[in-house]
Amino acid sequence: MEKTLVILKPSAIERGLVGQILTRFQQKGLTIVGMKMMQLDEKLLREHYAHLVDRAFFPWLLASMMATPVIVLCLKGRDAVRVVRLMTGATNGREALPGTIRGDFSLSGQENIVHASSSLEDAEVELKRFFADGEIYDWVPQSTPFLYAPDEA
Ligand code: UDP
Ligand code: MG
């Protein structure tokens, strides 16, 4: 089973959307195997958004991501990385399709509610970045046979 990182960004925290977003992932059948609140700092964000540090908007992104504590999630499921990206929608909330988290809750390219790992390789690196050993719980839900065929689980 794949694992992926989701961050409920300050735009989700400040707007009181945490419950609705968690509900969406749980309704889909994804398993929460890690979850905690944390205050991000500049050092960690410069690593996490290394591909964006030279962009003119980076100082705004830094301030935005440090504006409140965030909630980090590790979600587990078959093809979890791709499924969660599909549920997240396009980066800019104005382009994200209705039915996606960004499409339903955001009008912004910056204040776009969630981060989700974009590949399996990124997910592995990002989970190590945000979770310490022992903070991800590899439990198997009793509902597994009702979520997957035997060759899917
Ligand atoms: N971002 C921004 N302006 C941009 C592009 C990105 O503020 O023009 C922010 C936005 O919050 C986005 C994050 O930087 O979610 C990471 O950008 P990336 O291109 O990795 O998009 P994502 O993977 O989040 O869809
Ligand atoms: Mg990205």
Side-chain angles (χ1 to χ4, degrees):
M1 285 282 173
E2 275 182 24
K3 287 184 210 132
T4 191
L5 176 82
V6 170
I7 304 174
L8 308 186
K9 296 183 177 186
S11 48
I13 306 291
E14 187 66 45
R15 291 176 53 202
L17 298 174
V18 171
Q20 291 188 65
I21 296 166
L22 290 178
T23 296
R24 286 179 179 227
F25 292 131
Q26 290 198 299
Q27 281 178 157
K28 183 68 173 170
L30 292 155
T31 305
I32 299 171
V33 294
M35 179 160 78
K36 65 176 176 179
M37 191 169 227
M38 62 190 290
Q39 175 63 52
L40 303 181
D41 62 25
E42 181 166 343
K43 180 172 178 285
L44 188 128
L45 284 164
R46 283 185 170 275
E47 270 180 37
H48 182 62
Y49 285 137
H51 59 300
L52 298 172
V53 288
D54 295 329
R55 301 291 295 272
F57 62 78
F58 188 72
W60 293 350
L61 177 58
L62 263 185
S64 163
M65 292 296 291
M66 296 192 295
T68 72
V70 300
I71 292 173
V72 292
L73 301 174
C74 176
L75 297 177
K76 187 170 79 166
R78 181 76 189 262
D79 299 329
V81 174
R82 195 170 59 85
V83 167
V84 170
R85 282 294 285 199
L86 284 172
M87 292 177 73
T88 297
T91 303
N92 187 323
R94 296 191 300 281
E95 311 296 333
L97 293 176
T100 65
I101 292 166
R102 289 165 171 172
D104 288 351
F105 295 124
S106 169
L107 281 167
S108 172
Q110 174 180 283
E111 298 304 313
N112 59 2
I113 313 296
V114 286
H115 166 81
S117 304
S118 56
S119 68
L120 192 52
E121 302 72 55
D122 282 357
E124 281 167 12
V125 172
E126 290 178 0
L127 286 168
K128 285 202 180 76
R129 180 174 296 139
F130 287 90
F131 286 97
D133 288 346
E135 289 183 334
I136 292 175
Y137 298 87
D138 238 335
W139 64 284
V140 178
Q142 299 288 319
S143 55
T144 300
F146 301 92
L147 291 167
Y148 299 107
D151 67 344
E152 293 174 317

